[in-house]
Every structure is written in structure tokens, then in C-alpha cells.
Amino acid sequence: MKTMEEKAKELAKLMEDGKGKDVKLIDISKLNSWTDYFVIVTVSSSTHWQGLYKDVKQYIKENDLEIHVTNRKSPDGEDWNLIDLGTIVIHLMSESARTFYDLEKLWFNGTVIDFN
């Protein structure tokens, strides 16, 4: 049985294989109580993030995970899409949103994990 860290690494690799740019996996388990891992990915378009979302949906079917529905403040956001898997949260962000929100800086106390 895979650990959550192994699943997070596989999801990060899946995002990279799907042409996600500058994929980062950060362990934030010691910094909060609501999730353990962030996978942060830069995407090039809405079609790109939708393709990656489809890949995640296929992965979770095979790996005993489920997507938690999130409430969106803006209904048609193209800049930042979140896939909440509970222990793992995947952030699919446009380059401009990623630069603006700078999650890596915000969560700088987390541990960056090598997934390759």
C-alpha cells in the first residue's frame, strides 16, 4: 500500500509528465492541520489545466483518493484551479497567478520534496 507521500510524489510526476511547468511538491504537514502536501503547477491555458484535471481523476480512481468539492469565489477562474484531495492539494495556476500569489514564498517553512 502506498503512503500519502508516495501518492503526492506520483501526482507531482503526473503533472510534470502532462507538461505542467515548474512543478513543486511541498510538505506542509507541520504547518497546518488541514492538509499535508501541496503540488503547485504552472499551466499554459484552460485546456491544459482541464487535461491535467482529467489525469488526476484517472489517478484517484486507481489509488483510493477522492476529490473534495470546493466552493469557488469566482465561477470561471482561469488563473488558479484547485484540486482538493484532502491530504494532497493540487494548485493549477497560470504563470501570472503563480507569480502574484507566490505560494512557495508563503509556505517557505514547508519542505520541498524531490519527486523525480
Side-chain angles (χ1 to χ4, degrees), residues 62-103:
E62 301 162 0
N63 289 279
D64 196 33
L65 292 168
E66 66 180 58
I67 295 176
H68 300 267
V69 178
T70 57
N71 293 323
R72 296 187 56 110
K73 290 183 181 176
S74 58
D76 294 316
E78 296 293 323
D79 285 335
W80 186 356
N81 289 279
L82 187 104
I83 305 173
D84 182 354
L85 305 175
T87 307
I88 303 164
V89 177
I90 302 170
H91 301 268
L92 303 172
M93 306 176 84
S94 69
E95 195 165 336
S96 61
R98 186 154 178 187
T99 300
F100 181 79
Y101 292 105
D102 200 359
L103 294 180

Side-chain angles (χ1 to χ4, degrees), residues 32-70:
N32 71 83
S33 61
W34 47 270
T35 193
D36 291 338
Y37 301 98
F38 275 174
V39 178
I40 305 170
V41 186
T42 300
V43 295
S44 57
S45 66
S46 62
T47 304
H48 188 202
W49 78 255
Q50 290 170 6
L52 291 176
Y53 180 78
K54 184 178 173 185
D55 292 343
V56 170
K57 283 184 15 181
Q58 183 61 40
Y59 179 89
I60 67 172
K61 286 180 188 176
E62 301 162 0
N63 289 279
D64 196 33
L65 292 168
E66 66 180 58
I67 295 176
H68 300 267
V69 178
T70 57

Side-chain angles (χ1 to χ4, degrees), residues 22-40:
D22 195 24
V23 179
K24 295 283 189 267
L25 173 59
I26 304 173
D27 179 345
I28 58 170
S29 60
K30 293 180 175 75
L31 306 176
N32 71 83
S33 61
W34 47 270
T35 193
D36 291 338
Y37 301 98
F38 275 174
V39 178
I40 305 170

